[in-house]
Amino acid sequence: MKKKIAIGSDHAGFQLKEKIKKFLNGLSYQVVDVGCHSEESCDYPDFGNKVALLVKKDEVQTGIVICGTGIGVSISANKIPRIRAALCLTKEMAELARRHNDANILALGARILPEDRIEEIIKTFLTTDFDGGRHIKRIEKIKLIEDNNLC
Ligand code: RB5
């Protein structure tokens, strides 16, 4: 079955979102676009939240969120329990976000990232597995923070 990926952006990330959708379709992923649908000004929390809820409910396997810097969408997505959204500026960050943090959402900054780096960051994020091992207890500690209302 095709891997399902939710994608969302604000106006600053709209153009990049459209490019990434084509790229992912070419790689045979099934893309669920939660918006936005134009460059008209809108608010990044709306889209960070929509993608995060789809990931949390297991309706998609992973998510990509985009705004100007990637900061607003990652802050928003990370408000949802069980979401580990990682803002990645390099291929190395994407690899470690998966291997060490088991990140389930990739956040990108459309106004920050050099265009020629984006595809390798996405490919790396989507194809790298969690290392498990010593990293498991750290992920469990994040869950404890969520479950015991320590946040
Ligand atoms: C929109 O102008 C910009 O603030 C937003 O895309 C993002 O960079 C926020 O973190």
Side-chain angles (χ1 to χ4, degrees):
M1 213 170 70
K2 280 186 179 179
K3 197 172 186 176
K4 260 193 190 176
I5 303 176
I7 191 166
S9 76
D10 70 355
H11 56 286
F14 172 72
Q15 291 293 350
L16 180 58
K17 173 167 69 64
E18 297 308 297
K19 281 187 197 154
I20 292 175
K21 274 163 55 182
K22 283 191 193 133
F23 173 64
L24 293 174
N25 285 326
L27 293 177
S28 290
Y29 290 103
Q30 191 182 334
V31 182
V32 179
D33 183 356
V34 304
C36 66
H37 300 293
S38 76
E39 288 184 285
E40 193 179 323
S41 183
C42 58
D43 304 322
Y44 58 79
D46 298 337
F47 307 98
N49 181 253
K50 280 185 182 163
V51 170
L53 287 175
L54 288 175
V55 173
K56 187 188 177 216
K57 291 180 200 157
D58 279 330
E59 288 179 28
V60 296
Q61 280 77 57
T62 188
I64 298 178
V65 291
I66 311 159
C67 65
T69 57
I71 296 172
V73 278
S74 55
I75 293 173
S76 310
N78 278 317
K79 295 294 176 195
I80 303 297
R82 302 302 190 254
I83 290 304
R84 294 177 298 280
L87 174 56
C88 297
L89 301 175
T90 64
K91 183 182 168 192
E92 290 71 25
M93 289 177 79
E95 183 183 335
L96 290 171
R98 288 291 310 128
R99 288 184 53 198
H100 288 193
N101 310 112
D102 199 15
N104 49 15
I105 292 185
L106 171 65
L108 298 172
R111 293 175 176 160
I112 304 291
L113 273 179
E115 177 122 25
D116 62 358
R117 220 186 270 173
I118 295 169
E119 291 189 358
E120 66 176 14
I121 290 175
I122 294 171
K123 260 195 191 169
T124 301
F125 189 85
L126 295 178
T127 57
T128 304
D129 290 328
F130 180 44
D131 276 358
R134 69 186 190 279
H135 303 291
I136 293 173
K137 76 168 194 284
R138 296 163 187 167
I139 304 297
E140 291 303 320
K141 284 192 176 185
I142 298 174
K143 288 181 185 161
L144 282 178
I145 293 170
E146 293 167 348
D147 293 345
N148 295 309
N149 288 326
L150 300 175
C151 49

